Amino acid sequence: MNFQLDKRLAKDTAKVCELNLCYVGLVKDSRYPWLVLVPQLEGIIEVSDLDDGAQGLMWREVNKCSLALQAIFPGYKINLGALGNVVSQLHIHLVVRHDEDAAWPGPVWGKGEAEPYDIAVLETRIENLQRKLL
Amino acid sequence: MNFQLDKRLAKDTAKVCELNLCYVGLVKDSRYPWLVLVPQLEGIIEVSDLDDGAQGLMWREVNKCSLALQAIFPGYKINLGALGNVVSQLHIHLVVRHDEDAAWPGPVWGKGEAEPYDIAVLETRIENLQRKLL
């Protein structure tokens, strides 16, 4: 398997874990709890590039991550997206949203600049997610 | 089953068809070929509100619609999204994108005003989609 995580995705995320299919990264933007899942298969751009089995596995892993976010941030809205207009390697966004966040009710993509995490906050968030996912 | 399509989704889309689980509507915005799929089950807000079987069926229907769009608009990018910040009833967007469209490379949601279809263009587009989906 010659999969390599896209350089921009690698730069913009901190690794949470690898599930059976997907790399799971936390986006380094403290404005939103925000995960990105990347199926670790080469040359995948659209969801439809995955065979049926891989699609099913990917969506189950997306659901697992969504439930983890909902458990840690109860009562918030989840936004799910697969755009790929800038980074073509297939990646699924899961973003925790609420009605006072920086982009509400619009989408988060392309809105303002990322705000860096305090490193202790980042580490705690990753640990909390790992506890739910592993 | 007491499912009722959300009023705003009903107003903003023209019906293409019903698949086993989902209502499929074409968004009345001629700037983008744009489908919305709505699982016809009551009280669903997050994807994770669906049980595993319904999630699998929904994603297979989303994939079927994505392949139909890619067959009609070859070489374009598909954007997939489930936001629900404005209309809470779960609905999955599939939007055909290209690098000269009105919002590229940003997301389409909340960007500018919808442009009405010429009725003949709308009808042709719906027929072409029905031919792929039914």
Side-chain angles (χ1 to χ4, degrees):
Chain A
M1 189 170 78
N2 291 313
F3 172 81
Q4 267 202 305
L5 186 62
D6 172 90
K7 281 181 188 157
R8 177 148 173 189
L9 293 175
K11 179 177 156 286
D12 290 349
T13 64
K15 182 173 175 175
V16 175
C17 62
E18 287 177 27
L19 300 175
N20 284 331
L21 177 61
C22 292
Y23 163 89
V24 181
L26 180 71
V27 175
K28 293 176 189 164
D29 183 346
S30 66
R31 296 176 300 167
Y32 320 96
W34 181 347
L35 293 177
V36 167
L37 284 86
V38 185
Q40 297 178 101
L41 294 170
E42 203 184 351
I44 306 295
I45 293 177
E46 302 288 353
V47 175
S48 58
D49 295 338
L50 297 168
D51 66 29
D52 291 352
Q55 284 189 38
L57 180 54
M58 181 189 76
W59 290 125
R60 288 193 295 278
E61 292 183 354
V62 168
N63 192 54
K64 182 174 181 161
C65 290
S66 174
L67 290 171
L69 288 169
Q70 291 175 68
I72 299 171
F73 303 97
Y76 287 41
K77 184 75 193 77
I78 299 294
N79 282 184
L80 182 159
L83 286 82
N85 304 341
V86 178
V87 170
S88 66
Q89 184 177 70
L90 178 63
H91 55 290
I92 311 290
H93 300 271
L94 283 172
V95 194
V96 175
R97 305 296 310 274
H98 64 87
D99 63 4
E100 292 187 346
D101 73 32
W104 187 269
V108 297
W109 306 284
K111 175 88 179 175
E113 296 296 317
E115 286 178 14
Y117 269 97
D118 175 276
I119 185 72
V121 175
L122 181 79
E123 286 174 355
T124 303
R125 185 157 289 175
I126 289 172
E127 283 163 21
N128 287 337
L129 285 161
Q130 287 170 337
R131 211 166 290 138
K132 299 278 181 197
L133 293 174
L134 296 177
Chain B
M1 189 172 79
N2 291 311
F3 172 81
Q4 267 202 305
L5 186 63
D6 173 90
K7 281 180 186 156
R8 177 148 173 189
L9 293 175
K11 179 175 156 287
D12 290 349
T13 64
K15 182 173 174 173
V16 175
C17 61
E18 287 177 26
L19 299 175
N20 285 330
L21 177 61
C22 293
Y23 163 90
V24 181
L26 180 71
V27 175
K28 293 176 189 165
D29 184 345
S30 66
R31 295 176 300 168
Y32 319 97
W34 180 348
L35 293 177
V36 167
L37 284 86
V38 185
Q40 296 178 98
L41 293 171
E42 204 185 350
I44 306 295
I45 293 176
E46 301 288 354
V47 175
S48 57
D49 294 338
L50 296 168
D51 65 29
D52 291 351
Q55 283 188 38
L57 181 54
M58 181 189 76
W59 289 124
R60 287 193 295 278
E61 293 183 354
V62 168
N63 192 54
K64 181 173 181 161
C65 289
S66 175
L67 290 171
L69 288 170
Q70 291 176 67
I72 299 171
F73 302 96
Y76 288 41
K77 183 75 194 75
I78 299 293
N79 282 184
L80 182 158
L83 287 82
N85 304 341
V86 178
V87 170
S88 66
Q89 183 176 71
L90 178 63
H91 55 290
I92 311 291
H93 299 271
L94 284 173
V95 193
V96 175
R97 305 296 309 275
H98 64 87
D99 63 5
E100 292 187 347
D101 73 31
W104 186 268
V108 298
W109 305 285
K111 176 87 179 175
E113 296 296 318
E115 287 178 13
Y117 269 98
D118 176 275
I119 185 71
V121 175
L122 182 79
E123 285 174 356
T124 302
R125 186 157 289 176
I126 289 173
E127 283 163 20
N128 287 337
L129 285 161
Q130 286 170 337
R131 212 165 290 137
K132 299 279 182 197
L133 294 173
L134 296 176

